[in-house]
Amino acid sequence: MTGLKRPLRPPDWSDMHTAPLRAELTTARAAYEAALGQMPPWVQGAMKVRNWVVGRFGLRTPTMGKGMADLPIVSETPEAYELGLIDRHLTFTLETIRERGTARLITRIWFNHWTGWVYLAVVLIPHKIIVKLSLRRLA
């Protein structure tokens, strides 16, 4: 646990995707790491471009050595694993919930500045594509 705390208010934006889960993925963390722990080369390239662009605006650019698994942990139990990041423009978390043979990946965003809305507008379509493709690794 890193001590990263999400805001107490409801998120300003969220989405949820569900996928069937292989039996050997016995924890939410295992499911998360199977889906998002290693990104395909095209996503790694896109994240490098993203980091270069947003770095020019003073936004955080986390290393992606282990894909999205490099993010700070918010909370962890066998059934739920949540990571996140706080930045000037927004705070976000990714939570994986494991239950009854399925995994749910919930993205939550709290806007800290109007530029968070702009950022979401730019990354929304790639976000949905990446999450849907990543969850296919769980079946």
Side-chain angles (χ1 to χ4, degrees):
M1 196 82 125
T2 64
L4 183 113
K5 299 209 184 302
R6 55 180 155 143
L8 297 176
R9 69 184 197 275
D12 298 306
W13 182 89
S14 68
D15 71 353
M16 180 179 63
H17 300 270
T18 304
L21 189 59
R22 293 189 312 267
E24 67 267 17
L25 298 173
T26 59
T27 66
R29 182 180 194 146
Y32 181 89
E33 289 177 349
L36 294 164
Q38 181 61 42
M39 293 295 180
W42 70 270
V43 174
Q44 291 176 6
M47 290 302 292
K48 285 180 185 175
V49 171
R50 175 246 178 234
N51 288 347
W52 182 83
V53 171
V54 303
R56 303 298 174 261
F57 295 96
L59 302 180
R60 293 179 67 183
T61 56
T63 61
M64 299 304 284
K66 294 191 301 185
M68 298 297 284
D70 283 339
L71 295 170
I73 297 170
V74 176
S75 66
E76 181 174 7
T77 67
E79 296 80 28
Y81 182 61
E82 187 174 17
L83 297 95
L85 191 66
I86 299 171
D87 208 338
R88 288 187 321 180
H89 66 309
L90 58 78
T91 298
F92 82 94
T93 65
L94 297 169
E95 182 177 25
T96 303
I97 299 173
R98 182 187 171 280
E99 61 186 6
R100 296 185 302 264
T102 63
R104 287 187 285 146
L105 182 66
I106 304 166
T107 304
R108 295 181 185 94
I109 296 176
W110 294 265
F111 297 110
N112 301 330
H113 188 265
W114 66 267
T115 55
W117 289 98
V118 173
Y119 179 82
L120 178 61
V122 171
V123 302
L124 185 57
I125 291 173
H127 162 79
K128 289 184 179 284
I129 292 168
I130 291 166
V131 169
K132 287 181 183 183
L133 290 175
S134 296
L135 288 178
R136 288 182 184 172
R137 298 181 195 152
L138 300 179

